[in-house]
Structures are given as structure tokens and as C-alpha cells.
Amino acid sequence: LYENFKIVAGTDITFESLRYCKDNLPKNVMLVCCDAASVFRYRFDLIVTNPPYLPDEEYKKRFHESAIHGGHTGIETTLRFIKSAVSVLSQNGKMLIIISTLSDVSKMDELIIEMKLKRRTIREKKLFFETLTIVEISFK
């Protein structure tokens, strides 16, 4: 992204992830330790995220890993991100999100309708236990 855009910002709730990025990205990439996009006031033309999307079922809670578990049904982190990021998405902007068939994607579709957004599938990759999909979300 930093090769194609003038302003690039990244967020993560894990400081260690940001430290790794800081050590491996150019200095002009802004990195912020926060949840989703809540700290930004600037409008972005493109927002990209690969949120944790695996369900955090009861038997897995003892192995909870915030980098991969996206909430009870796997979609809660994604929903929180969409709600946060839409406030900084430019009117003609696009949001790209990776989702999994292991998550309850119907909840995301309900939120998109409720927020009067539109969804388009960009690409799918079938794996032996799930399908990963890149979804584009934008204003109608």
C-alpha cells in the first residue's frame, strides 16, 4: 500500500505487531496502537483489513488467541471494525475485508444492509476446511 498511496496508516491492538511493522516498513507509514480505526479523523480512499475471523467456541476459550479468534461466532471483531472504519471512509472509498466461511457472515450482511452500504465479492480461495473471501464494502 505504501508504494501506491500518499498517506498510509496502520493500526493494531498488539504493540508487538506494530513494532515489527515499524522495523520493516518505511518511516512515512503512520502506525497507531488502537482498536480498529477509532483514532483517525482523516478520510481514507482505501481501508484494508485482515481481522481475526475464527469462532471462539467454548472449548477453544482456553486457547484464545486475539490474532485469530474474532469473537464467539468469529465475526464480532469484523463488525466492530466496519462500524469504526466507515466513519473514516471517503464517500467514493472502498473497504477490503477478509472473511471466512467459519464465521457467521450473515451478521456482517445484516450490518451492511442496516448501515446502507453495499458489498461485492472480489475473490475467493477455497481451502480444505474453509473458504476465505475478500469482500469490498462501499457506500451505495
Side-chain angles (χ1 to χ4, degrees):
L1 292 173
Y2 70 83
E3 293 174 351
N4 295 299
F5 292 90
K6 189 188 307 185
I7 297 172
V8 176
T11 67
D12 202 295
I13 59 171
T14 309
F15 188 74
E16 293 79 23
S17 295
L18 292 170
R19 183 176 303 203
Y20 175 83
C21 291
K22 183 177 191 250
D23 293 342
N24 291 284
L25 290 172
K27 301 286 184 226
N28 64 336
V29 175
M30 178 184 5
L31 299 172
V32 181
C33 191
C34 70
D35 186 19
S38 59
V39 333
F40 295 110
R41 300 295 171 250
Y42 182 84
R43 298 264 178 194
F44 293 92
D45 295 325
L46 180 64
I47 298 173
V48 180
T49 184
N50 180 12
Y53 49 71
L54 294 180
D56 192 6
E57 299 157 353
E58 287 299 320
Y59 72 92
K60 292 182 180 176
K61 284 193 178 180
R62 59 188 164 173
F63 304 111
H64 177 79
E65 174 58 55
S66 62
I68 60 172
H69 292 114
H72 181 69
T73 66
I75 201 75
E76 288 79 6
T77 300
T78 301
L79 299 178
R80 193 170 62 251
F81 184 86
I82 292 170
K83 289 175 186 175
S84 174
V86 76
S87 68
V88 295
L89 184 65
S90 69
Q91 193 59 39
N92 294 318
K94 298 184 183 327
M95 192 182 314
L96 300 178
I97 299 177
I98 296 178
I99 58 173
S100 167
T101 52
L102 297 177
S103 298
D104 184 357
V105 179
S106 67
K107 290 183 179 187
M108 184 186 78
D109 291 334
E110 289 171 12
L111 178 66
I112 288 170
I113 290 167
E114 178 185 313
M115 295 182 76
K116 296 180 174 48
L117 300 169
K118 67 179 178 180
R119 170 189 181 199
R120 181 171 74 104
T121 297
I122 300 295
R123 189 161 192 187
E124 291 185 337
K125 171 97 175 173
K126 293 183 191 297
L127 304 172
F128 70 96
F129 58 92
E130 70 181 325
T131 299
L132 297 178
T133 304
I134 300 174
V135 173
E136 176 188 280
I137 297 173
S138 60
F139 294 108
K140 289 186 176 181

